[in-house]
Amino acid sequence: MNRTPADEEAARRLLSRELQARGVALDRRALLRLSVAGGVSALLAGCDVTDTEGMQAVLRRISRLNDGAQAALLRPGLRAPEYTAAQLTKPFRFNAFYSEASVPEIDEATWRLEVGGRVQHAAAWTLGEIRALPVVTEITRLICIEGWSAIGQWSGVPLSHFLRHVGADLSARYVALRCADGYYTSIDMESAMHPQTLLAHGFAGATRLPDEFGFPLRLRIPIKLGFKNPKHLVGLTVTDEFSSGYWEDLHGYNWFGGL
């Protein structure tokens, strides 16, 4: 996704305010040298760094700044590329923090999506109720932080529609997500409301997600890296309280996870 000089300048201003709030002063030349579009997240994800607490504290601070910079660059009208059926990746690639043999088997009859937090209508949703909501289909590229990507066709309800339907407080800062396989993550409200963000329940023209790709429901958010696309969803909470994510906690991945 293309970013303009105005976007980068806005991110630098945000970084400057964040640094000042932490008692760190940088002149403009230093800010210009600071990568605000993902370099720090790449460092955290792909490089061996010292395990000393001092260095880890510095890296955590920089990662938080990078989160803010990426958020500043996000514009609601900026869309991820979409593709044609001829460009689909076949077979689509499986990925998880466990082997394909360990994919959870979920009973649709008893499965529920627990929706709570800052919503007017907290409830436990069945898959049938979610499928009855307006459905859109997108062909987008899932990009893994490990360096590979795959183009897939996803169908589901726009998360923005779902949040409005349950009376979510759209001034809340986060949407936190829990999964049947123990995975968890959270996203910012702006990304949750992005028009391409889906609660996906169909794949490749089928009305059912394959087990290995997240049955019965997953988040598909093409403006973020793959680890921000949780599968086998069982919980969705609208909140102002920050919560991190599985890979962020385990390996220090950058929380925002934007492309």
Side-chain angles (χ1 to χ4, degrees), residues 27-200:
D27 60 23
R28 181 171 176 79
R29 181 174 299 176
L31 281 171
L32 287 169
R33 289 197 303 265
L34 183 59
S35 171
V36 298
V40 173
S41 61
L43 169 68
L44 290 173
C47 300
D48 292 327
V49 297
T50 177
D51 289 330
T52 65
E53 181 57 34
M55 178 59 74
Q56 291 301 312
V58 169
L59 290 174
R60 285 193 294 269
R61 286 174 58 191
I62 294 173
S63 183
R64 286 194 296 270
L65 293 177
N66 196 48
D67 287 335
Q70 291 186 49
L73 292 173
L74 176 66
R75 294 184 300 180
L78 195 63
R79 298 174 67 93
E82 298 192 27
Y83 301 88
T84 69
Q87 295 172 291
L88 290 170
T89 300
K90 298 179 181 181
F92 196 81
R93 180 167 174 170
F94 168 79
N95 73 310
F97 62 96
Y98 45 78
S99 70
E100 196 165 352
S102 300
V103 170
E105 296 181 3
I106 296 175
D107 181 3
E108 180 180 336
T110 59
W111 174 89
R112 298 291 185 273
L113 177 69
E114 299 283 347
V115 178
R118 297 180 59 170
V119 298
Q120 294 177 8
H121 309 295
W125 284 69
T126 68
L127 185 58
E129 290 170 332
I130 294 172
R131 283 175 171 160
L133 296 174
V135 175
V136 301
T137 297
E138 298 172 350
I139 299 178
T140 54
R141 185 184 297 275
L142 187 148
I143 300 176
C144 181
I145 199 169
E146 295 174 346
W148 58 268
S149 69
I151 295 172
Q153 178 178 313
W154 309 91
S155 299
V157 56
L159 181 54
S160 59
H161 177 88
F162 185 80
L163 291 173
R164 291 189 178 100
H165 190 77
V166 300
D169 179 357
L170 301 183
S171 70
R173 299 180 65 186
Y174 308 109
V175 175
L177 301 140
R178 294 182 295 106
C179 306
D181 57 9
Y183 196 80
Y184 60 97
T185 192
S186 63
I187 60 173
D188 58 293
M189 182 60 77
E190 291 79 8
S191 295
M193 296 299 292
H194 190 276
Q196 291 175 297
T197 302
L198 299 181
L199 288 176

